[in-house]
Amino acid sequence: MVYSIHTIPKRALLTTVALLLMVFCPAARSAGQAHGKKAPAAAAAKNDLADQISGMYSFLREGEFVQITVEDGKVSGFVSRYGDRDSDRGAFLDQFFSKAALEGKKITFATKPVHGTWFEFAGVISRGEAKTPDKDGYWNIKGTLKQYDEDESKHVAAKSRELILKSFPQDLEENQHPD
């Protein structure tokens, strides 16, 4: 006997759960969000932004990137970059976020150290010049990147620079349905 498993799109599932909560949860009704009333525009915009900014962004050099994923209000991701030290020069290194946050349009993250180097970033998300998400730079995150380097004697040097992370083109096939 063969069983097929059907998946429910995440947005449909979340919408259904939210509607059920509004119908059956007195707290949601008293907050004025039941019976078809919409959430405040600021909250809706915040959720829309969080849903839209997940993706890959440019980093320091050609070929390097930052992957940012926002899911259920939580930010995760990693930096993929070329090593700079004698021991890892030219090697591709992935540095996962040790902590990250999104508050409105402000995003911050810090990476775990790899070979004595780690990063901290704080920036503000804005729309870029691209007209559609399938083009480079639809989203820009302008901020400050701090790079920390620890040497063999455990001395840490830090340098800071302004940086704009530009979104890579997003694959729009996910939103297009051929049926």
Side-chain angles (χ1 to χ4, degrees):
M1 182 174 267
V2 176
Y3 293 98
S4 67
I5 298 174
H6 298 281
T7 59
I8 299 172
K10 184 191 236 181
R11 286 186 188 207
L13 180 62
L14 291 175
T15 302
T16 303
V17 169
L19 289 171
L20 288 172
L21 282 174
M22 284 191 256
V23 170
F24 294 107
C25 180
R29 278 196 301 273
S30 66
Q33 296 193 9
H35 306 294
K37 293 185 182 177
K38 293 185 178 180
K46 180 180 176 185
N47 290 340
D48 287 345
L49 180 65
D51 289 342
Q52 295 176 29
I53 64 161
S54 290
M56 290 173 52
Y57 291 80
S58 60
F59 195 52
L60 297 173
R61 296 187 278 181
E62 183 73 31
E64 297 182 333
F65 64 91
V66 178
Q67 171 66 47
I68 297 173
T69 303
V70 182
E71 207 168 49
D72 298 328
K74 295 184 183 192
V75 181
S76 62
F78 59 93
V79 171
S80 282
R81 66 176 187 89
Y82 294 108
D84 293 327
R85 296 174 179 240
D86 291 335
S87 62
D88 61 15
R89 192 168 316 279
F92 214 61
L93 307 173
D94 289 336
Q95 294 184 250
F96 290 90
F97 294 176
S98 59
K99 60 183 176 178
L102 176 64
E103 295 176 12
K105 292 183 176 186
K106 295 180 182 178
I107 189 165
T108 59
F109 65 80
T111 66
K112 296 178 181 180
V114 172
H115 299 181
T117 299
W118 67 96
F119 298 93
E120 292 179 358
F121 181 81
V124 176
I125 302 162
S126 64
R127 275 277 289 108
E129 294 181 12
K131 302 286 186 220
T132 58
D134 63 333
K135 305 287 186 225
D136 277 326
Y138 185 76
W139 292 108
N140 287 339
I141 306 174
K142 183 177 182 178
T144 303
L145 178 73
K146 294 180 183 174
Q147 179 176 339
Y148 298 91
D149 291 297
E150 183 178 66
D151 62 19
E152 296 80 25
S153 62
K154 304 293 182 194
H155 177 263
V156 176
K159 59 184 172 185
S160 178
R161 65 182 109 182
E162 295 301 308
L163 182 66
I164 298 176
L165 307 176
K166 293 185 177 190
S167 64
F168 287 0
Q170 294 179 4
D171 185 7
L172 297 181
E173 289 181 30
E174 172 182 306
N175 297 328
Q176 298 171 350
H177 301 288
D179 328 28

